[in-house]
Amino acid sequence: DTEVTQTPKHLVMGMTNKKSLKCEQHMGHRAMYWYKQKAKKPPELMFVYSYEKLSINESVPSRFSPECPNSSLLNLHLHALQPEDSALYLCASSRGRSSYNEQFFGPGTRLTVL
Amino acid sequence: GIQVEQSPPDLILQEGANSTLRCNFSDSVNNLQWFHQNPWGQLINLFYIPSGTKQNGRLSATTVATERYSLLYISSSQTTDSGVYFCAVEPYGGSQGNLIFGKGTKLSVKP
């Protein structure tokens, strides 16, 4: 099973709202990732968790707060977002700490900030 | 940082035609992946190919790591092949898992 699931599929929120995106995998992977993809652009890495510890934070604003409760789950908490944060948010996972580190992506959450 | 360039940026094919997509990268890489992004945004894994040649049905890929390029071949194209094809690399010596994407090739297959 090479499935990564994400909820919700779509999210509309106001600039004062607090919401969370969720990602789950059951492949036994130990690395999980958040990417942001604007329209007609490639995905850009935001965060990497390796063995439940944050290992990469690509200078993402603090209004995005990641959380990795366990090796199967990854959350992205959103607070006080701006309209320019509207994008497709993609979660991925991989084995981690391995020479074979193929990443598998979820279907994404389409976020609209009003 | 590493540069990943894909060509062509746009490609229009008639159903049944063959095509070659190219990915050039400016430095050594640990990993290289090809993805197909469908119209709904799902990134579908095509190949994990840091070097060598692989084939999967009508698709095949070749990476020549020493010359810093990878090619994706699509034969007998179908309308369902439409979408954006991304090449992504993990730079050698960089943070593990830090995939850098090219800008993609947008493929449209006409019936």
PDB file of all heavy atoms in Angstrom, chain A residues 1-28:
ATOM      1  N   ASP A   1       0.849  -1.191   0.000  1.00  0.00           N
ATOM      2  CA  ASP A   1       0.000   0.000   0.000  1.00  0.00           C
ATOM      3  C   ASP A   1       0.888   1.245   0.000  1.00  0.00           C
ATOM      4  O   ASP A   1       1.667   1.449   0.906  1.00  0.00           O
ATOM      5  CB  ASP A   1      -0.925  -0.030   1.213  1.00  0.00           C
ATOM      6  CG  ASP A   1      -1.901   1.141   1.220  1.00  0.00           C
ATOM      7  OD1 ASP A   1      -1.965   1.870   0.205  1.00  0.00           O
ATOM      8  OD2 ASP A   1      -2.579   1.333   2.235  1.00  0.00           O
ATOM      9  N   THR A   2       0.774   2.040  -1.062  1.00  0.00           N
ATOM     10  CA  THR A   2       1.590   3.242  -1.160  1.00  0.00           C
ATOM     11  C   THR A   2       0.707   4.470  -1.041  1.00  0.00           C
ATOM     12  O   THR A   2       0.829   5.417  -1.805  1.00  0.00           O
ATOM     13  CB  THR A   2       2.358   3.269  -2.500  1.00  0.00           C
ATOM     14  OG1 THR A   2       1.416   3.161  -3.559  1.00  0.00           O
ATOM     15  CG2 THR A   2       3.375   2.159  -2.564  1.00  0.00           C
ATOM     16  N   GLU A   3      -0.221   4.442  -0.079  1.00  0.00           N
ATOM     17  CA  GLU A   3      -1.186   5.525   0.009  1.00  0.00           C
ATOM     18  C   GLU A   3      -0.885   6.479   1.155  1.00  0.00           C
ATOM     19  O   GLU A   3      -0.628   6.067   2.288  1.00  0.00           O
ATOM     20  CB  GLU A   3      -2.593   4.952   0.202  1.00  0.00           C
ATOM     21  CG  GLU A   3      -3.693   6.008   0.120  1.00  0.00           C
ATOM     22  CD  GLU A   3      -5.089   5.413   0.258  1.00  0.00           C
ATOM     23  OE1 GLU A   3      -5.199   4.211   0.535  1.00  0.00           O
ATOM     24  OE2 GLU A   3      -6.055   6.163   0.086  1.00  0.00           O
ATOM     25  N   VAL A   4      -0.936   7.751   0.800  1.00  0.00           N
ATOM     26  CA  VAL A   4      -0.886   8.828   1.767  1.00  0.00           C
ATOM     27  C   VAL A   4      -2.231   9.547   1.682  1.00  0.00           C
ATOM     28  O   VAL A   4      -2.666   9.905   0.587  1.00  0.00           O
ATOM     29  CB  VAL A   4       0.254   9.822   1.458  1.00  0.00           C
ATOM     30  CG1 VAL A   4       0.243  10.969   2.458  1.00  0.00           C
ATOM     31  CG2 VAL A   4       1.608   9.101   1.471  1.00  0.00           C
ATOM     32  N   THR A   5      -2.894   9.702   2.822  1.00  0.00           N
ATOM     33  CA  THR A   5      -4.207  10.355   2.804  1.00  0.00           C
ATOM     34  C   THR A   5      -4.115  11.731   3.448  1.00  0.00           C
ATOM     35  O   THR A   5      -3.303  11.950   4.365  1.00  0.00           O
ATOM     36  CB  THR A   5      -5.260   9.515   3.551  1.00  0.00           C
ATOM     37  OG1 THR A   5      -4.825   9.319   4.901  1.00  0.00           O
ATOM     38  CG2 THR A   5      -5.427   8.155   2.886  1.00  0.00           C
ATOM     39  N   GLN A   6      -4.949  12.639   2.961  1.00  0.00           N
ATOM     40  CA  GLN A   6      -4.981  14.004   3.488  1.00  0.00           C
ATOM     41  C   GLN A   6      -6.424  14.435   3.673  1.00  0.00           C
ATOM     42  O   GLN A   6      -7.285  14.153   2.832  1.00  0.00           O
ATOM     43  CB  GLN A   6      -4.291  14.992   2.541  1.00  0.00           C
ATOM     44  CG  GLN A   6      -2.797  14.816   2.448  1.00  0.00           C
ATOM     45  CD  GLN A   6      -2.152  15.917   1.625  1.00  0.00           C
ATOM     46  OE1 GLN A   6      -1.545  15.649   0.584  1.00  0.00           O
ATOM     47  NE2 GLN A   6      -2.269  17.153   2.086  1.00  0.00           N
ATOM     48  N   THR A   7      -6.681  15.133   4.757  1.00  0.00           N
ATOM     49  CA  THR A   7      -7.995  15.730   5.003  1.00  0.00           C
ATOM     50  C   THR A   7      -7.829  17.139   5.537  1.00  0.00           C
ATOM     51  O   THR A   7      -6.843  17.440   6.239  1.00  0.00           O
ATOM     52  CB  THR A   7      -8.801  14.902   6.028  1.00  0.00           C
ATOM     53  OG1 THR A   7      -8.034  14.765   7.232  1.00  0.00           O
ATOM     54  CG2 THR A   7      -9.162  13.543   5.484  1.00  0.00           C
ATOM     55  N   PRO A   8      -8.752  18.048   5.201  1.00  0.00           N
ATOM     56  CA  PRO A   8      -9.821  17.858   4.225  1.00  0.00           C
ATOM     57  C   PRO A   8      -9.298  17.991   2.793  1.00  0.00           C
ATOM     58  O   PRO A   8      -8.163  18.373   2.581  1.00  0.00           O
ATOM     59  CB  PRO A   8     -10.774  19.006   4.562  1.00  0.00           C
ATOM     60  CG  PRO A   8      -9.866  20.107   5.017  1.00  0.00           C
ATOM     61  CD  PRO A   8      -8.751  19.420   5.764  1.00  0.00           C
ATOM     62  N   LYS A   9     -10.140  17.713   1.816  1.00  0.00           N
ATOM     63  CA  LYS A   9      -9.755  17.904   0.416  1.00  0.00           C
ATOM     64  C   LYS A   9      -9.754  19.384   0.057  1.00  0.00           C
ATOM     65  O   LYS A   9      -8.936  19.846  -0.735  1.00  0.00           O
ATOM     66  CB  LYS A   9     -10.705  17.148  -0.503  1.00  0.00           C
ATOM     67  CG  LYS A   9     -10.502  15.650  -0.519  1.00  0.00           C
ATOM     68  CD  LYS A   9     -11.407  14.985  -1.543  1.00  0.00           C
ATOM     69  CE  LYS A   9     -11.060  13.532  -1.783  1.00  0.00           C
ATOM     70  NZ  LYS A   9     -10.793  12.759  -0.589  1.00  0.00           N
ATOM     71  N   HIS A  10     -10.742  20.099   0.582  1.00  0.00           N
ATOM     72  CA  HIS A  10     -10.866  21.535   0.329  1.00  0.00           C
ATOM     73  C   HIS A  10     -11.086  22.240   1.656  1.00  0.00           C
ATOM     74  O   HIS A  10     -11.743  21.695   2.555  1.00  0.00           O
ATOM     75  CB  HIS A  10     -12.063  21.835  -0.595  1.00  0.00           C
ATOM     76  CG  HIS A  10     -11.986  21.178  -1.929  1.00  0.00           C
ATOM     77  ND1 HIS A  10     -11.343  21.732  -3.002  1.00  0.00           N
ATOM     78  CD2 HIS A  10     -12.483  19.995  -2.366  1.00  0.00           C
ATOM     79  CE1 HIS A  10     -11.450  20.924  -4.048  1.00  0.00           C
ATOM     80  NE2 HIS A  10     -12.136  19.856  -3.688  1.00  0.00           N
ATOM     81  N   LEU A  11     -10.581  23.473   1.763  1.00  0.00           N
ATOM     82  CA  LEU A  11     -10.763  24.255   2.982  1.00  0.00           C
ATOM     83  C   LEU A  11     -10.822  25.725   2.608  1.00  0.00           C
ATOM     84  O   LEU A  11      -9.945  26.220   1.885  1.00  0.00           O
ATOM     85  CB  LEU A  11      -9.606  24.008   3.955  1.00  0.00           C
ATOM     86  CG  LEU A  11      -9.633  24.770   5.270  1.00  0.00           C
ATOM     87  CD1 LEU A  11     -10.875  24.404   6.075  1.00  0.00           C
ATOM     88  CD2 LEU A  11      -8.377  24.486   6.082  1.00  0.00           C
ATOM     89  N   VAL A  12     -11.864  26.395   3.088  1.00  0.00           N
ATOM     90  CA  VAL A  12     -11.987  27.839   2.926  1.00  0.00           C
ATOM     91  C   VAL A  12     -11.967  28.437   4.324  1.00  0.00           C
ATOM     92  O   VAL A  12     -12.699  27.998   5.202  1.00  0.00           O
ATOM     93  CB  VAL A  12     -13.291  28.230   2.200  1.00  0.00           C
ATOM     94  CG1 VAL A  12     -13.394  29.754   2.071  1.00  0.00           C
ATOM     95  CG2 VAL A  12     -13.372  27.573   0.837  1.00  0.00           C
ATOM     96  N   MET A  13     -11.102  29.403   4.537  1.00  0.00           N
ATOM     97  CA  MET A  13     -11.007  30.001   5.866  1.00  0.00           C
ATOM     98  C   MET A  13     -10.771  31.499   5.778  1.00  0.00           C
ATOM     99  O   MET A  13     -10.213  32.010   4.791  1.00  0.00           O
ATOM    100  CB  MET A  13      -9.905  29.332   6.690  1.00  0.00           C
ATOM    101  CG  MET A  13      -8.514  29.422   6.114  1.00  0.00           C
ATOM    102  SD  MET A  13      -7.309  28.463   7.062  1.00  0.00           S
ATOM    103  CE  MET A  13      -7.205  29.408   8.584  1.00  0.00           C
ATOM    104  N   GLY A  14     -11.201  32.195   6.807  1.00  0.00           N
ATOM    105  CA  GLY A  14     -10.948  33.611   6.909  1.00  0.00           C
ATOM    106  C   GLY A  14      -9.595  33.858   7.555  1.00  0.00           C
ATOM    107  O   GLY A  14      -8.962  32.951   8.103  1.00  0.00           O
ATOM    108  N   MET A  15      -9.146  35.079   7.484  1.00  0.00           N
ATOM    109  CA  MET A  15      -7.808  35.413   7.965  1.00  0.00           C
ATOM    110  C   MET A  15      -7.690  35.300   9.488  1.00  0.00           C
ATOM    111  O   MET A  15      -6.585  35.201  10.020  1.00  0.00           O
ATOM    112  CB  MET A  15      -7.416  36.818   7.497  1.00  0.00           C
ATOM    113  CG  MET A  15      -7.124  36.882   5.994  1.00  0.00           C
ATOM    114  SD  MET A  15      -6.426  38.455   5.485  1.00  0.00           S
ATOM    115  CE  MET A  15      -7.894  39.472   5.529  1.00  0.00           C
ATOM    116  N   THR A  16      -8.825  35.298  10.194  1.00  0.00           N
ATOM    117  CA  THR A  16      -8.749  35.206  11.652  1.00  0.00           C
ATOM    118  C   THR A  16      -8.995  33.786  12.163  1.00  0.00           C
ATOM    119  O   THR A  16      -8.936  33.542  13.367  1.00  0.00           O
ATOM    120  CB  THR A  16      -9.774  36.147  12.290  1.00  0.00           C
ATOM    121  OG1 THR A  16     -11.083  35.786  11.825  1.00  0.00           O
ATOM    122  CG2 THR A  16      -9.482  37.598  11.924  1.00  0.00           C
ATOM    123  N   ASN A  17      -9.285  32.870  11.248  1.00  0.00           N
ATOM    124  CA  ASN A  17      -9.592  31.496  11.663  1.00  0.00           C
ATOM    125  C   ASN A  17      -8.345  30.721  12.069  1.00  0.00           C
ATOM    126  O   ASN A  17      -7.214  31.065  11.693  1.00  0.00           O
ATOM    127  CB  ASN A  17     -10.268  30.731  10.527  1.00  0.00           C
ATOM    128  CG  ASN A  17     -11.661  31.244  10.205  1.00  0.00           C
ATOM    129  OD1 ASN A  17     -12.151  31.048   9.099  1.00  0.00           O
ATOM    130  ND2 ASN A  17     -12.297  31.890  11.160  1.00  0.00           N
ATOM    131  N   LYS A  18      -8.595  29.635  12.824  1.00  0.00           N
ATOM    132  CA  LYS A  18      -7.569  28.634  13.095  1.00  0.00           C
ATOM    133  C   LYS A  18      -8.073  27.311  12.545  1.00  0.00           C
ATOM    134  O   LYS A  18      -9.183  26.888  12.885  1.00  0.00           O
ATOM    135  CB  LYS A  18      -7.327  28.472  14.591  1.00  0.00           C
ATOM    136  CG  LYS A  18      -6.563  29.576  15.253  1.00  0.00           C
ATOM    137  CD  LYS A  18      -6.296  29.220  16.714  1.00  0.00           C
ATOM    138  CE  LYS A  18      -5.531  30.335  17.421  1.00  0.00           C
ATOM    139  NZ  LYS A  18      -5.257  30.007  18.835  1.00  0.00           N
ATOM    140  N   LYS A  19      -7.273  26.672  11.736  1.00  0.00           N
ATOM    141  CA  LYS A  19      -7.650  25.383  11.161  1.00  0.00           C
ATOM    142  C   LYS A  19      -6.424  24.483  11.141  1.00  0.00           C
ATOM    143  O   LYS A  19      -5.290  24.932  11.317  1.00  0.00           O
ATOM    144  CB  LYS A  19      -8.176  25.553   9.728  1.00  0.00           C
ATOM    145  CG  LYS A  19      -9.456  26.371   9.602  1.00  0.00           C
ATOM    146  CD  LYS A  19     -10.650  25.587  10.084  1.00  0.00           C
ATOM    147  CE  LYS A  19     -11.931  26.405   9.841  1.00  0.00           C
ATOM    148  NZ  LYS A  19     -13.122  25.689  10.381  1.00  0.00           N
ATOM    149  N   SER A  20      -6.671  23.191  10.870  1.00  0.00           N
ATOM    150  CA  SER A  20      -5.571  22.224  10.769  1.00  0.00           C
ATOM    151  C   SER A  20      -5.751  21.335   9.560  1.00  0.00           C
ATOM    152  O   SER A  20      -6.876  20.929   9.238  1.00  0.00           O
ATOM    153  CB  SER A  20      -5.505  21.364  12.028  1.00  0.00           C
ATOM    154  OG  SER A  20      -5.213  22.138  13.165  1.00  0.00           O
ATOM    155  N   LEU A  21      -4.639  21.029   8.914  1.00  0.00           N
ATOM    156  CA  LEU A  21      -4.606  20.030   7.846  1.00  0.00           C
ATOM    157  C   LEU A  21      -4.011  18.751   8.419  1.00  0.00           C
ATOM    158  O   LEU A  21      -3.090  18.808   9.253  1.00  0.00           O
ATOM    159  CB  LEU A  21      -3.744  20.511   6.675  1.00  0.00           C
ATOM    160  CG  LEU A  21      -4.021  21.902   6.116  1.00  0.00           C
ATOM    161  CD1 LEU A  21      -3.141  22.152   4.893  1.00  0.00           C
ATOM    162  CD2 LEU A  21      -5.482  22.091   5.800  1.00  0.00           C
ATOM    163  N   LYS A  22      -4.552  17.617   7.955  1.00  0.00           N
ATOM    164  CA  LYS A  22      -4.081  16.343   8.488  1.00  0.00           C
ATOM    165  C   LYS A  22      -3.567  15.446   7.371  1.00  0.00           C
ATOM    166  O   LYS A  22      -4.085  15.472   6.242  1.00  0.00           O
ATOM    167  CB  LYS A  22      -5.213  15.631   9.230  1.00  0.00           C
ATOM    168  CG  LYS A  22      -5.674  16.367  10.462  1.00  0.00           C
ATOM    169  CD  LYS A  22      -6.719  15.584  11.225  1.00  0.00           C
ATOM    170  CE  LYS A  22      -7.268  16.377  12.402  1.00  0.00           C
ATOM    171  NZ  LYS A  22      -6.219  16.742  13.382  1.00  0.00           N
ATOM    172  N   CYS A  23      -2.568  14.648   7.711  1.00  0.00           N
ATOM    173  CA  CYS A  23      -1.941  13.722   6.765  1.00  0.00           C
ATOM    174  C   CYS A  23      -1.655  12.422   7.510  1.00  0.00           C
ATOM    175  O   CYS A  23      -1.227  12.438   8.673  1.00  0.00           O
ATOM    176  CB  CYS A  23      -0.651  14.332   6.237  1.00  0.00           C
ATOM    177  SG  CYS A  23       0.316  13.238   5.177  1.00  0.00           S
ATOM    178  N   GLU A  24      -1.885  11.294   6.813  1.00  0.00           N
ATOM    179  CA  GLU A  24      -1.664  10.000   7.449  1.00  0.00           C
ATOM    180  C   GLU A  24      -1.080   9.021   6.444  1.00  0.00           C
ATOM    181  O   GLU A  24      -1.449   9.017   5.267  1.00  0.00           O
ATOM    182  CB  GLU A  24      -2.991   9.473   8.005  1.00  0.00           C
ATOM    183  CG  GLU A  24      -2.865   8.249   8.887  1.00  0.00           C
ATOM    184  CD  GLU A  24      -4.143   7.939   9.649  1.00  0.00           C
ATOM    185  OE1 GLU A  24      -5.168   8.619   9.414  1.00  0.00           O
ATOM    186  OE2 GLU A  24      -4.121   7.017  10.493  1.00  0.00           O
ATOM    187  N   GLN A  25      -0.157   8.200   6.928  1.00  0.00           N
ATOM    188  CA  GLN A  25       0.381   7.114   6.089  1.00  0.00           C
ATOM    189  C   GLN A  25       0.574   5.878   6.957  1.00  0.00           C
ATOM    190  O   GLN A  25       0.856   5.986   8.146  1.00  0.00           O
ATOM    191  CB  GLN A  25       1.704   7.530   5.420  1.00  0.00           C
ATOM    192  CG  GLN A  25       2.820   7.971   6.348  1.00  0.00           C
ATOM    193  CD  GLN A  25       3.687   6.876   6.892  1.00  0.00           C
ATOM    194  OE1 GLN A  25       3.691   5.741   6.375  1.00  0.00           O
ATOM    195  NE2 GLN A  25       4.469   7.176   7.922  1.00  0.00           N
ATOM    196  N   HIS A  26       0.412   4.700   6.336  1.00  0.00           N
ATOM    197  CA  HIS A  26       0.574   3.431   7.051  1.00  0.00           C
ATOM    198  C   HIS A  26       1.541   2.546   6.307  1.00  0.00           C
ATOM    199  O   HIS A  26       1.344   1.328   6.212  1.00  0.00           O
ATOM    200  CB  HIS A  26      -0.794   2.749   7.224  1.00  0.00           C
ATOM    201  CG  HIS A  26      -1.712   3.511   8.115  1.00  0.00           C
ATOM    202  ND1 HIS A  26      -1.525   3.599   9.475  1.00  0.00           N
ATOM    203  CD2 HIS A  26      -2.811   4.250   7.838  1.00  0.00           C
ATOM    204  CE1 HIS A  26      -2.478   4.343  10.001  1.00  0.00           C
ATOM    205  NE2 HIS A  26      -3.271   4.764   9.032  1.00  0.00           N
ATOM    206  N   MET A  27       2.603   3.162   5.773  1.00  0.00           N
ATOM    207  CA  MET A  27       3.614   2.399   5.055  1.00  0.00           C
ATOM    208  C   MET A  27       4.848   2.140   5.920  1.00  0.00           C
ATOM    209  O   MET A  27       5.849   1.625   5.429  1.00  0.00           O
ATOM    210  CB  MET A  27       4.023   3.169   3.787  1.00  0.00           C
ATOM    211  CG  MET A  27       2.890   3.301   2.788  1.00  0.00           C
ATOM    212  SD  MET A  27       3.350   4.233   1.324  1.00  0.00           S
ATOM    213  CE  MET A  27       3.081   5.903   1.890  1.00  0.00           C
ATOM    214  N   GLY A  28       4.779   2.562   7.189  1.00  0.00           N
ATOM    215  CA  GLY A  28       5.932   2.400   8.065  1.00  0.00           C
ATOM    216  C   GLY A  28       7.044   3.390   7.765  1.00  0.00           C
ATOM    217  O   GLY A  28       8.189   3.204   8.198  1.00  0.00           O
TER     218      GLY A  28
END
